[in-house]
Every structure is written in structure tokens, then in C-alpha cells.
Amino acid sequence: MVRRIIEIDQEKCNGCGACAAACHEGAIGMADGKAVLLRDDYCDGLGDCLPACPTGAITFVEREAAAYDEAAVLAKKAEALKGSAPVTRTGCPGSMSRTLRHDDVPDASTPAGSPVSRLMQWPVQIKLLPVEAPYYNGARLLIAADCTAFSRADFHQRFMRGRITMIGCPKLDEGDYAEKLTEILRRNDVREVTVVRMEVPCCGGLQRAAETALRQSGKFIPWQVVTLGRDGNILD
């Protein structure tokens, strides 16, 4: 079948291994100091590896390739866990997933009365977020245009508290978020989705991607859209 799949430019690859660390399916490995696509059917075509590459060596191409085989990927992961110690992957630490914890009381370095961060996970950019992660299970998702947080002083408390935060800008990022958001909703036990956007037209792309993902996920997930004016006021 002809489908979208990654291609790695060996001339541009510097062998850092960041793409291999970002690929949750294990489709990318290292050989002779360079990143290589191990098997076509391990690549889901969502491109978690693209933003992790510091040299731009990875791109999408349309070519004849075996269909993505999720069962084979899961079997490979299960086999790797049998009788072995956890595998430590090397790569860009900035894109590694982490669950964050914040006390309701600011630490000693924070002035008294200052608001507390409500960010629950890292990373936050939709392009960098993994398709599967423990923090998605039972989660309430916040899909927010990246300008929204700058329009309201209470954004952390009002919108981010108790939610997994995902941000993006369809006008600046290449590609469509819908496919990745669909897989996140499909593969994880997400309880609800809140989309926060600005009133400007370009934010419509973020809302459409979220609506498409909700529809294509095949699940009934409660959702809402909150639109902010340029002054931060809630319009609807």
C-alpha cells in the first residue's frame, strides 16, 4: 500500500539518537552511528520523531510500505521486557515525557501570595507530546492555542488545573494536529476535552483538529470550546 512514512536523510543525521528516543513504537534504531528505519510496519506515520531531530534529517514521504502493525509493535515491546532490565534510551532530554507535581504552597524562592503552576506534565507542545503516556489515562485534556495563556492572568488556575495541557498554533506549525490527537484519544482513557482558543480566525484550525479527532476516535468524550477575546475576556 502507498502511505505516509518517515524518511531519514543519512547526510543530515548526526547520530544523536533523539529520534530513536522519541519513537514509542521502536521503528527507529541506530546503526553505524546513524538513525535508521528498522521496519516499515513499526512506523505509525504520526511523526513523534520529527520535532526531536535537531538537524531536520527526518521528513515524511509517500511511498509503497507495509501497513502499520500495532500488534507487532506491542509484541516486540512485550518481548523486550521479558527477563531484561528496563532499557534506558538516549536522546534529547527536553522532549522526554514527565509527570509533574506541584505543591499548593509555593516554595521558599517564590514570593508569598504568588500563584502556583498547574502544569501537570512535560512536554506541552502537541508536536512533541507522545501518543501514549500514563498521564493520559483518566485525564481531562486541555487543548489550547499557545496565545491563550498570555491573555489571562488566571489561566493556570482557571483552565490548566487538573488537566493535561496541550498547546499549539496551526498557523505556525506545519501539518494538521487531527491525526495525532485522534490517536491520543483512541489509545488512552481520556475523560473529557476542553479546547481554549482565541477569537482570531487562525485558531479555528485548532478547534477543527480537535473536533475531527473526537469524531474519528470512535469514542463518546464530553467536550467544550472556550473562546477568548484579545483582551482575555471569555466570549462564549
Side-chain angles (χ1 to χ4, degrees), residues 9-18 30 33-35 53-55 57:
D9 187 329
Q10 296 297 298
E11 294 297 319
K12 291 183 179 180
C13 178
N14 66 2
C16 70
M30 305 301 295
K34 298 283 187 176
C53 179
T55 64

Side-chain angles (χ1 to χ4, degrees), residues 39 61 80 126 181 204 215 223:
R39 281 178 48 166
V61 295
I126 296 173
L181 291 175
R215 185 170 58 253
W223 64 287

Side-chain angles (χ1 to χ4, degrees), residues 71-226:
V73 170
L74 294 175
K76 177 193 173 187
K77 290 181 178 179
E79 185 64 29
L81 291 174
K82 287 182 180 178
S84 64
V87 177
T88 300
R89 285 178 149 178
T90 59
C92 175
S95 62
M96 292 181 180
S97 294
R98 291 183 57 194
T99 299
L100 305 179
R101 297 282 186 266
H102 297 285
D103 296 327
D104 283 336
V105 180
D107 60 33
S109 65
T110 305
S114 296
V116 177
S117 173
R118 298 300 178 181
L119 184 62
M120 297 177 64
Q121 95 293 335
W122 184 264
V124 294
Q125 288 282 354
I126 296 173
K127 292 287 187 178
L128 296 177
L129 278 159
V131 173
E132 293 178 275
Y135 48 68
Y136 290 136
N137 291 318
R140 302 159 64 210
L141 298 188
L142 169 65
I143 303 174
D146 53 12
C147 295
T148 55
F150 295 95
S151 68
R152 293 188 64 93
D154 66 346
F155 194 85
H156 275 246
Q157 186 68 17
R158 181 155 194 155
F159 296 110
M160 290 173 58
R161 186 175 187 179
R163 293 187 174 98
I164 295 299
T165 301
M166 317 168 74
I167 67 170
C169 176
K171 189 169 185 177
L172 299 180
D173 286 340
E174 293 184 6
D176 183 13
Y177 300 129
E179 191 171 1
K180 187 168 191 179
L181 291 175
T182 297
E183 289 304 308
I184 289 173
L185 297 178
R186 183 178 291 159
R187 298 189 194 187
N188 301 279
D189 180 25
V190 174
R191 285 195 298 147
E192 66 175 58
V193 174
T194 296
V195 179
V196 181
R197 55 165 292 183
M198 301 297 292
E199 62 178 323
V200 295
C202 56
C203 274
L206 186 69
Q207 180 177 340
R208 285 191 295 274
E211 291 173 347
T212 299
L214 285 159
R215 185 170 58 253
Q216 293 182 346
S217 71
K219 297 180 178 180
F220 176 75
I221 302 174
W223 64 287
Q224 63 174 329
V225 177
V226 179

